Amino acid sequence: MVNSNVTFNSILEASKRLEGKIVRTPILQSKYINEKLESNIFLKAENLQTIGAFKFRGAMNSILQLPSDIKKVVAWSSGNHAQAVAAASKITGRQATIVMPEDSPKAKLEGTAFWGATIIKYDRNKENREEIGKKIANELNATIIPPFDDEKVIIGQGTAGIECIEQLNDINVIPDVVLCCCGGGGLIAGIGTALKAKFKNAKIFSVEPENFDDTKKSLAVNSIISNDMSHTSICDALLADKPGKITFEINRFNLTSGVAVSDKEALIAMNTAFRHLKIVLEPGGAVALAAAIFKKIDIKNQNILVIASGGNVDKDIFENCLNEQPI
């Protein structure tokens, strides 16, 4: 067992804490996709969460537990955690300062600004966001809300798993396979902990962009492996340099293994979701669906729970997905 406060009960408590403060996102199905893939795909649409991504769960769960006299928070993020912390701070009467790459998607920069956060931009190729964030937090006497390697954040993300359990129970479905995107590993650590408590035989797979499949590689050798950060990907939300220490300890216990998808496969999944599920996904939010579409594992005649993690995509990237042929 993992020595962690991330448990089914702690996630259930967070679910109660967040009731009425987050969106209970739907699970979507498409008869066309199911027939095409010869499986039953159940897609958890976290792109419909507040700020357009699952990250709001972890940010709000963490910020709600801050002492009332703490009014300043700092975070670093390429975009979804940035928006989540900005939104949770605004809603709870706090001021957020967010460190973001200067090449962050415009939609994510604008979304973060909308919630009133102070944005500090940096060059991701030359500067270290954590160093910048810690310096600012020290100067402001602010509390840091980490993007993924934090128990309260992980527990908050896991509330999506509680909803999945309830929604699948309502239709008498037991998932055989769970496909979930993975950057630093916070979402899959939380969801995996929740789902494994109720669906013990479900196989859970991390899905990452090609060349950023650090969790896949780390699981294979049971030790944390870092990415070569000279590579690029349109999946901006999933470009952590390595798994988190806390998240990896949880994930190596819960996960079966990992798979990787290409940028082109992510774009095809985006168009497929748009065409057949009527939703907008960002590249990182579509990788789990891409893993199902391109059968990175055997899914035939099985119940597949796919976590669509976010939908904050710039117009040019979304137009690129429309140029790809959906399934």
Side-chain angles (χ1 to χ4, degrees):
M1 278 296 289
V2 177
N3 182 19
S4 168
N5 292 316
V6 181
T7 64
F8 179 80
N9 285 337
S10 67
I11 296 170
L12 192 60
E13 286 174 14
S15 186
K16 294 171 183 173
R17 183 181 301 117
L18 294 173
E19 194 169 349
K21 296 179 174 65
I22 58 172
V23 175
R24 184 181 174 87
T25 57
I27 285 182
L28 307 176
Q29 277 202 287
S30 160
K31 184 172 174 57
Y32 176 88
I33 292 176
N34 287 351
E35 290 188 0
K36 198 78 173 175
L37 299 184
E38 298 180 280
S39 61
N40 298 311
I41 305 292
F42 301 89
L43 184 136
K44 179 66 167 168
E46 278 294 288
N47 59 303
L48 302 178
Q49 186 54 255
T50 305
I51 69 91
F54 74 92
K55 288 281 192 178
F56 185 68
R57 296 174 182 271
M60 184 57 96
N61 184 57
S62 187
I63 287 174
L64 282 175
Q65 295 178 76
L66 291 176
S68 59
D69 61 337
I70 292 180
K71 296 298 184 183
K72 295 179 181 179
V73 299
V74 169
W76 45 83
S77 163
S78 68
N80 285 335
H81 182 62
Q83 294 179 89
V85 172
S89 296
K90 177 82 169 180
I91 291 166
T92 61
R94 293 176 169 88
Q95 176 60 41
T97 300
I98 314 292
V99 180
M100 299 181 71
E102 57 193 8
D103 61 348
S104 293
K106 186 179 178 184
K108 295 179 178 180
L109 285 166
E110 290 178 349
T112 305
F114 169 79
W115 290 101
T118 299
I119 299 172
I120 307 296
K121 295 181 184 178
Y122 76 101
D123 183 340
R124 73 165 88 216
N125 297 313
K126 297 177 181 177
E127 298 177 284
N128 184 299
R129 66 182 190 175
E130 292 189 24
E131 289 178 2
I132 296 169
K134 287 176 181 176
K135 183 170 182 277
I136 293 169
N138 188 52
E139 291 171 353
L140 297 177
N141 193 25
T143 296
I144 293 170
I145 309 295
F148 56 83
D149 211 26
D150 176 89
E151 289 183 340
K152 290 177 182 175
V153 170
I154 295 167
I155 288 166
Q157 319 302 25
T159 61
I162 299 292
E163 290 178 17
C164 288
I165 291 167
E166 293 169 351
Q167 290 164 321
L168 293 176
N169 281 344
D170 285 346
I171 54 176
N172 296 314
V173 167
I174 296 174
D176 299 299
V177 169
V178 180
L179 295 169
C180 180
C181 72
C182 186
L187 175 63
I188 198 168
I191 283 184
T193 298
L195 293 175
K196 272 293 187 180
K198 295 300 177 182
F199 304 121
K200 290 181 171 53
N201 296 323
K203 295 179 179 178
I204 303 176
F205 295 87
S206 61
V207 187
E208 299 167 289
E210 286 181 350
N211 298 317
F212 294 91
D213 51 349
D214 46 293
T215 290
K216 173 189 172 186
K217 292 172 181 172
S218 299
L219 290 171
V221 298
N222 201 29
S223 180
I224 290 178
I225 302 291
S226 297
N227 291 315
D228 175 356
M229 297 304 286
S230 66
H231 293 290
T232 60
S233 170
I234 60 171
C235 301
D236 64 281
L238 304 179
L239 305 186
D241 62 336
K242 62 181 180 296
K245 291 180 181 178
I246 299 171
T247 57
F248 184 66
E249 282 302 307
I250 296 169
N251 288 332
R252 70 177 182 171
F253 181 77
N254 287 331
L255 273 53
T256 299
S257 63
V259 299
V261 302
S262 69
D263 282 359
K264 183 180 178 70
E265 289 168 339
L267 288 170
I268 291 169
M270 289 168 64
N271 197 357
T272 299
F274 179 66
R275 182 78 61 90
H276 300 295
L277 293 165
K278 315 306 177 190
I279 58 173
V280 172
L281 298 180
E282 63 186 276
V287 295
L289 180 59
I293 290 171
F294 291 96
K295 299 179 180 175
K296 301 294 180 173
I297 57 167
D298 177 28
I299 64 170
K300 188 172 182 179
N301 297 326
Q302 296 185 77
N303 293 327
I304 314 299
L305 176 60
V306 169
I307 311 299
S309 56
N312 294 307
V313 58
D314 280 352
K315 180 172 174 283
D316 58 338
I317 298 291
F318 194 73
E319 286 176 346
N320 288 344
C321 95
L322 299 178
N323 293 326
E324 300 291 346
Q325 188 64 35
I327 63 168

